[in-house]
Amino acid sequence: MRLALPRWAGTLAVKAAVFITVMCCALAALLGVLVHVSVTNQTVGQARELALSKLTEATRSYEAGDSLMWDAGVDPPDLPASLRALAAAGDRGTMVGEHRGRPTMWAAGPVDDGRALAVEVDYSQGTRTIEGLDRAILWSSALAITATLLVGAFAVTRVTRRLDTTARVARRISAGDLDARVDDPRSKEPSRPQDEVAAVAAALDSMAASLQGKLLSEQRFTADVAHELRTPLTGLHAAAELLPPGRPTELVRDRVGALRTLTEDLLEISRLDTGRERVEWGTEPLAALAERVVRASGTSTEVVVVRDVAVETDRRRLERVLGNLVANAHRHGRGPVSLTVDGPVVTVRDHGDGYPEYLVEHGPQRFRTEGGATGHGLGLTIAVGQAEVLGARLSFSNAASGGAVATLVLRSSSE
């Protein structure tokens, strides 16, 4: 079973915890080794000096013919072999060994006939001191590492929580929620210490506010232009209807009609952008609605019903979405064009060159077309906006055998 970590406990927190742990362990090991070596050298040095001092006294007593003390002797059986060989070679030396099962500091020197005179110093206390020191180092290191890790984890998680909040706000902004803000307290109070996270949060809030202002200005401009064009276009349309029949009149009426359609599309997009659309919910049989849309389009679109369902939707808006998809398939694709109803999923497909790559990856963009296509790129933009109002999901792809595929996923009335 894999342990589930909080959202803010990401890679940065894990890396920081590992780094702190490794550095604490390395520092504790280094300090422990230095203290252990220093105390061991001091303890061993004191025992060595004492053993050599006793060896000097024992040597004097042996040369004077006096009896040796209980802790001195010639060629004692427990004397380490290496130290015995050193003494037999004419040198003096010391070595930590054992005598009767106890740690002992031996000191040995040469006497007559290649024998070794040795003295012993009980080293049990020194051994216990070093062992106690090692245990104290281990426990104190473990406590220090734990405390440092907890404090470091607390400090790092505070930073990662703030970064996670900033990242979530950035994702909300990229999804279209331009009212989202981080509102980091440090960026609002100059008296509080500023750090890099607060600077990033403040920059993100400033960017969102600037972007929101620019988009609102653009939306107001689009709405104002479209609204101001309606009056002269209405008069132009009326004047065109009064022209005598003929080819020039047909061209004028066609262009005036296209301009009126463009103006109405711009007004609809501006309403969608401002989020002021009201949905009139109702239950509609999807197959009948799709057939009605195809008949109204006047195109030779095949309607295929795999499974019919009733959907909870706004009939006018859904007709607008499907009508735009069918019109776009005939205008920019090639026949045959089919509209398939499979439960709450509606698919519109043509057999042309398919959607441009940018549209499949990022969705439709207004006033952008490629490959010599005509139009203003507003039909699919409106379809996406109306689908979002309905709570549906509209996606675009290209069929493997060729052709563009638009897939609309609706909410069935049973959900």
Side-chain angles (χ1 to χ4, degrees):
M1 182 178 178
R2 187 174 181 179
L3 181 62
L5 296 176
R7 290 174 57 89
W8 46 263
T11 305
L12 180 60
V14 174
K15 288 182 177 180
V18 172
F19 176 78
I20 292 173
T21 303
V22 171
M23 293 303 298
C24 288
C25 291
L27 182 60
L30 178 61
L31 293 177
V33 169
L34 291 176
V35 173
H36 174 83
V37 171
S38 176
V39 173
T40 300
N41 289 339
Q42 183 179 1
T43 304
V44 172
Q46 292 175 352
R48 181 180 289 113
E49 290 178 1
L50 179 58
L52 289 175
S53 175
K54 287 188 174 183
L55 178 61
T56 301
E57 294 178 2
T59 301
R60 291 198 194 98
S61 298
Y62 182 82
E63 292 176 349
D66 298 335
S67 58
L68 298 175
M69 297 294 291
W70 63 269
D71 55 356
V74 177
D75 289 335
D78 290 341
L79 184 66
S82 57
L83 187 58
R84 188 190 302 275
L86 181 67
D91 294 324
R92 300 176 63 184
T94 59
M95 178 177 289
V96 177
E98 287 190 358
H99 179 57
R100 297 175 183 175
R102 296 182 305 172
T104 302
M105 174 64 74
W106 291 96
V111 292
D112 53 353
D113 299 330
R115 292 185 298 172
L117 175 63
V119 296
E120 60 179 271
V121 174
D122 186 12
Y123 194 61
S124 300
Q125 182 62 39
T127 302
R128 286 193 294 271
T129 300
I130 295 175
E131 290 177 350
L133 175 67
D134 290 342
R135 286 193 296 271
I137 290 175
L138 288 176
W139 280 106
S140 61
S141 298
L143 290 175
I145 291 172
T146 302
T148 304
L149 183 59
L150 291 176
V151 174
F154 174 75
V156 171
T157 51
R158 289 190 64 187
V159 175
T160 54
R161 283 195 191 98
R162 294 168 60 199
L163 288 174
D164 179 68
T165 300
T166 304
R168 284 190 283 110
V169 171
R171 286 192 289 269
R172 288 173 57 191
I173 293 173
S174 65
D177 184 6
L178 298 182
D179 293 323
R181 298 291 185 273
V182 180
D183 290 331
D184 194 307
R186 290 170 178 79
S187 63
K188 292 185 174 182
E189 301 179 15
S191 59
R192 299 187 65 175
Q194 301 292 310
D195 57 12
E196 288 78 4
V197 180
V200 171
L204 181 63
D205 288 348
S206 176
M207 179 198 70
S210 176
L211 180 62
Q212 186 178 37
K214 291 180 180 178
L215 287 178
L216 290 176
S217 298
E218 178 185 341
Q219 291 169 5
R220 284 194 298 268
F221 175 76
T222 302
D224 292 343
V225 168
H227 186 270
E228 292 299 325
L229 284 175
R230 296 183 76 178
T231 301
L233 281 175
T234 301
L236 190 59
H237 177 74
E241 293 297 326
L242 299 176
L243 294 176
R247 180 59 179 167
T249 299
E250 293 177 1
L251 292 176
V252 171
R253 290 175 179 174
D254 178 70
R255 292 300 87 198
V256 170
L259 193 55
R260 290 187 68 184
T261 301
L262 174 60
T263 303
E264 295 299 327
D265 287 347
L266 288 175
L267 283 173
E268 186 171 359
I269 287 177
S270 67
R271 290 194 298 268
L272 291 171
D273 287 341
T274 55
R276 294 179 298 183
E277 294 289 307
R278 292 185 178 180
V279 182
E280 298 179 0
W281 295 105
T283 302
E284 295 286 338
L286 190 53
L289 187 145
E291 291 173 352
R292 189 164 58 247
V293 169
V294 170
R295 284 196 303 270
S297 69
T299 61
S300 57
T301 302
E302 179 186 8
V303 178
V304 180
V305 180
V306 179
R307 180 169 60 94
D308 190 15
V309 294
V311 293
E312 190 75 17
T313 186
D314 184 323
R315 180 179 58 81
R316 181 184 64 82
R317 297 183 188 280
L318 182 54
E319 289 178 349
R320 175 70 158 152
V321 173
L322 296 181
N324 281 12
L325 295 179
V326 170
N328 184 82
H330 282 280
R331 184 178 299 116
H332 301 293
R334 288 192 297 271
V337 176
S338 61
L339 187 154
T340 304
V341 177
D342 187 1
V345 180
V346 181
T347 304
V348 177
R349 180 187 174 182
D350 63 54
H351 289 75
D353 297 329
Y355 291 119
E357 184 177 350
Y358 81 87
L359 193 149
V360 175
E361 293 183 359
H362 307 290
Q365 300 177 21
R366 60 193 69 174
F367 298 108
R368 177 175 179 179
T369 56
E370 289 186 0
T374 59
H376 305 285
L378 299 182
L380 294 183
T381 303
I382 292 173
V384 171
Q386 294 289 10
E388 291 178 353
V389 172
L390 295 174
R393 185 175 71 254
L394 179 58
S395 59
F396 304 93
S397 61
N398 291 320
S401 57
V405 180
T407 303
L408 179 66
V409 182
L410 296 161
R411 297 185 302 178
S412 64
S413 60
S414 60
E415 292 182 356

